[in-house]
Amino acid sequence: MPGLPGTTRPAESPPTWGTLLLDAVQKSSRAQARLALHVEDLERKLEGGLAELRGSLSSLRGATSGNSSRSEPPWDELLDALDLLEEASRVAADAALASGLMGVAARIERFLTSSGITRLASIGHIPDGRLFRIVGTQPHPSFAEGAIARVVRAAALRGERLIREGEAIIVRNTP
């Protein structure tokens, strides 16, 4: 009874650590849900793009099947996109985002493999001069001098034939 003497209304207490923790967990859950939706959207777009690419490749194969000098479809854009996905996943601050990007990259890699394309990115190994062009150096104490520290652009082969030269940064530990 609010008007009686000797009775007091309970004062509003400041939020407790439990309330703050619950709020943080809810915000984190919403952010993860938005991220999951974004990754699903990327996967749908990727599947649509891969289906379109398969159709284009089938058309190209059909058009060149009677031609003895079969031309190679332009793989550079797809290979460049895969290189960018791998770099983005490497530098992503969020582990869930990095995992999602690597999942998309793995799907593209499987598509390339099924099309007979082999990508080479031999980090930690001495580069083959026929496959890689050296574009820079950086220190890396875990690898031998001259080994590949980072692949900027993966080399690509179709069978034994080079269809795209790779670019690599090699280890240089001495100043």
Side-chain angles (χ1 to χ4, degrees), residues 23-35:
D23 187 46
V25 167
Q26 288 173 341
K27 286 180 182 178
S28 175
S29 294
R30 287 191 297 268
Q32 283 184 320
R34 283 192 304 271
L35 182 61

Side-chain angles (χ1 to χ4, degrees), residues 40-135:
E40 285 177 23
D41 186 45
L42 285 173
E43 287 179 339
R44 274 193 302 277
K45 289 178 182 178
L46 174 66
E47 280 303 314
L50 290 176
E52 185 179 320
L53 184 59
R54 284 183 193 103
S56 297
L57 288 174
S58 295
S59 298
L60 181 63
R61 286 185 188 122
T64 59
S65 62
N67 190 351
S68 62
S69 62
R70 290 182 59 152
S71 63
E72 187 70 46
W75 294 103
D76 279 347
E77 284 191 47
L78 190 59
L79 291 164
D80 287 344
L82 187 52
D83 291 338
L84 290 171
L85 272 171
E86 288 176 344
E87 179 65 15
S89 67
R90 186 180 72 81
V91 299
D94 185 289
L97 177 61
S99 176
L101 291 172
M102 285 308 296
V104 172
R107 292 174 96 171
I108 294 173
E109 186 78 43
R110 283 191 303 270
F111 172 78
L112 288 170
T113 300
S114 71
S115 298
I117 304 295
T118 303
R119 287 179 68 241
L120 302 172
S122 306
I123 294 176
H125 295 89
I126 302 297
D128 183 339
R130 296 170 295 169
L131 304 175
F132 286 95
R133 180 168 38 112
I134 307 306
V135 295

